[in-house]
Each structure stands twice: as C-alpha cells, then as structure tokens.
Amino acid sequence: MSKHIFFRIFFILVSITLIGFSNNLAQCTPYIGQTPPENFAKRFPPDSLLGNAVWFYHSTPAFSPDGTEMYFTKYQTTTNKIEIWFTECKNGNWTTAKKAPFSNSSYTNNNPQFSRSKDTLYFVSQRAGSFIFKVVRTNGVWSSPIAINLPIPAGYGYGLQFSIANNGNIYSELQNAQTGDDNLYVWRFTNGHYSAPEVLSSICSPELDFTPYIDPQERFIIFSSRRPGGCSDMDLYLSIKKPDNTWSDPINLGQNINANTAFAPIITRDGLYFFFLSYKPDDLGTNPYWVSAQFIYDLLTDIKDTPSQSFDFNLNQNYPNPFNPATTINYTLNKSGNIILKIFDISGKEVCQLINNYQNSGEHQIIWNAEHVSSGNYIIQLQLDNISKTQKVVLLK
C-alpha cells in the first residue's frame, strides 16, 4: 500500500470517528433555541409552541435547572381543562411537546416549577388533600403526586400560582369567599411542618394581589396587582425584604413589562431571565414573555432603603469593557460559600467555567483571557447557593 493511500484511509477513519464523537456530544440550545432577550421584554415561544384559539398558556413555563426540560400549562379552550405538558432535550433536539404523565385531565393542573433538583417538580392541582403537590423522578420515571399539606383557613380558597423559597417557605394567594378579596400569604416551614398562613399585609392592597414569585433566598418578591396607578389592568410590582424582615413599598416594574396586563412572574433557576405572562394585542390568549433578569437586579439597587449589604454577593462590571483579549472580573461576597463563575455566549451556550470552589467572604477578582474566543457579546454568570447574577461583556478583536 502506498503512503498516499494509507494517509487517505487514515484520514477517512479519523473523520468518521470525529463525526460520531461530535454526534454524541450534540447539545440542545437552551430555552428551546430561542434567541435570548436583553433589557426589552419580548414574546418567548416559537410559532410551534405559540398559544392560539385552541389553547393558551395558563402559567409561566418552568425550566429545569440545567435547561434541558420545559414544563408548561395548556388551557384547552374547547374542553375547559388545564393540563401540564413538557418538551425536553434528547439527542441534541427538543422533542415534540406532550402531556406530562402525572397530569390527570380529571383535575386542573397548573403552575409547574422545579426545585433546586431537576428530579423534583411542584405544581398546583385540584386533587383532594392539598392544592400543591410534588412529583419525584427516579430512574427517569415520575412518582405519583404527593400532597404538600398546607393549612387553609375556613372560608378561604386557594389561587393558581405559588412560589417556594429554598428554606421551604411557600408564598401564594388566598381568596376570602365572603369579601372576594385576594391577598398574598406565606406558609412558614418549621420542623418539617407548615404553619398557618400569614398575610403579607404591608404589601397587599384593597385590590387584587396575586401570582407571587419569591426570590429563593426571600430577598425580594414580585407579584401582580390591580392597585390604582398602574400601566394596565394588572401590573407587576417588586418589594424587597428589609433587614428587620419587613417589606419595602412595592414599586411598579414600568411600561416595559406592564404595557399590557402582566402576571405570573418568575426568574429562571439559573438567574438569567425574567418571565411573565401577558395579553398582547396580537396574541390569541396569553403567552409568556421574557427579558434579561438584569432588568430586575438593576431595580434592586434603586431602592434606597435597602442597603447592598443585605445581599449575599455583588458582581461588578468587568474592566476593561469592551476588552481584547483579557478582562478582570471583580465580585464581592458578603458570606462564604461555593462559587461558580461561568461565561456564556449570547445564545446561552456555555463558553467556559472559570471558578467552581469554596471561597471566603470579601473582595475577589479573576482574569478571563479570551484569546481563543471570537469577538462578540458574552454573559458572565456568578452563582452562590443557587442564586445567580449576570453581567454582559463585549469582546472586540
């Protein structure tokens, strides 16, 4: 065999091996392949998952912590049923959406949300025994729904959205059957049990207050309200917990979010995006909208009666920015913990991981050398105790 033929055969064999290796590493683009937003809210679903006259979204989609699954609710207009559906990443592609195995059409099922584990999912249901249930996945199979026992006062009805903090505390709305008032409540989780609900009287109004999202560390809450002075019929508001455990006066999230009715807010588990539902003029029913979560983080620093020390960490703007090829990333930890610092491109694909270890409180910095990365916009993500902050950076070569 001539040397020329040998090298041609060798090259073909190597190419086949690399193609197979590449296929094995195929990954889905996070968030079902949608182009990430920046600081202006835009509609999220692709045409194939857009609400229409037959069905529309009844709560905000829930993404698993690793971004490879999306669970969402369909309100079926012809049958008046609310069901939980899902799509997931398999072999590098997002699957066709189908009904979740635990979503029994005999009951209303709503508001799915993941815990810190992708194998535990909570949701609202009209099943007997509670109004919040969870399912646990073992070896790829979801369990039967397990009731979360929450005491509800006589004469009150539950809402269709709740939010759970890392310590187990649950926030939701209850309606007084006599007065019709909807207010926000918290059930505190102590010694393995939930206490009677406490009304969040300092932030509730005489009007409708509902669909709360609680920050996993209970630093702030976002909710929808019909209180006077809003931009639309129902607006989203934000309130921060003060050091004395009281809440700041709610602030309206503004025209960018509240140009039309807005409700059902969440921030994704990776801390990158803020989602909510809205009725837009060209929508048939409700659809989810999204915006960079930095929109919310910027508002937090604008509330003057809340010192920055009340937060566990701060991610500062890198310097220089724009940069070529290296930049310094500075951050402050107000408590010790395991730090993860990653770089993502603008599509949400991970570029590299710079830090993943335990660090003490104080000032820290690290240099990112992007010599082998192409020019463009990138996102720095700093994570502590499953809470993330992000910063956009620009590489110019």
Side-chain angles (χ1 to χ4, degrees), residues 263-392:
F263 58 104
I266 65 163
I267 292 177
T268 53
R269 272 289 177 180
D270 58 14
L272 288 177
Y273 304 110
F274 173 54
F275 278 79
F276 60 96
L277 292 186
S278 184
Y279 297 97
K280 299 293 185 182
D282 57 343
D283 283 343
L284 298 173
T286 56
N287 276 295
Y289 285 72
W290 64 332
V291 66
S292 169
Q294 192 63 43
F295 177 89
I296 298 297
Y297 303 144
D298 289 343
L299 288 176
L300 301 182
T301 62
D302 291 338
I303 300 181
K304 296 180 174 55
D305 61 355
T306 302
S308 60
Q309 286 76 13
S310 65
F311 299 102
D312 292 331
F313 64 98
N314 291 304
L315 175 62
N316 302 319
Q317 182 65 60
N318 62 302
Y319 182 82
N321 187 46
F323 67 98
N324 178 27
T327 187
T328 300
I329 302 168
N330 294 282
Y331 55 95
T332 304
L333 305 181
N334 294 320
K335 73 170 190 176
S336 302
N338 192 73
I339 291 296
I340 300 175
L341 195 151
K342 295 181 178 181
I343 308 295
F344 295 85
D345 66 20
I346 201 64
S347 72
K349 181 180 178 181
E350 183 178 326
V351 175
C352 63
Q353 178 174 277
L354 299 180
I355 300 173
N356 186 354
N357 56 40
Y358 186 90
Q359 294 188 348
N360 293 323
S361 60
E363 300 284 341
H364 297 267
Q365 70 175 33
I366 188 171
I367 295 175
W368 176 35
N369 189 328
E371 181 179 358
H372 302 296
V373 179
S374 59
S375 296
N377 295 324
Y378 293 88
I379 295 172
I380 302 171
Q381 181 195 75
L382 180 66
Q383 180 175 322
L384 170 63
D385 291 341
N386 217 41
I387 302 299
S388 301
K389 290 189 178 182
T390 61
Q391 187 71 254
K392 190 170 81 170

Side-chain angles (χ1 to χ4, degrees), residues 162-175:
F162 72 99
S163 185
I164 186 167
N166 284 343
N167 60 13
N169 291 347
I170 289 178
Y171 292 72
S172 187
E173 72 266 10
L174 290 177
Q175 184 179 78

Side-chain angles (χ1 to χ4, degrees), residues 185-199:
Y185 289 79
V186 57
W187 286 259
R188 302 193 187 281
F189 188 64
T190 307
N191 298 324
H193 299 281
Y194 283 99
S195 62
E198 304 169 26
V199 64

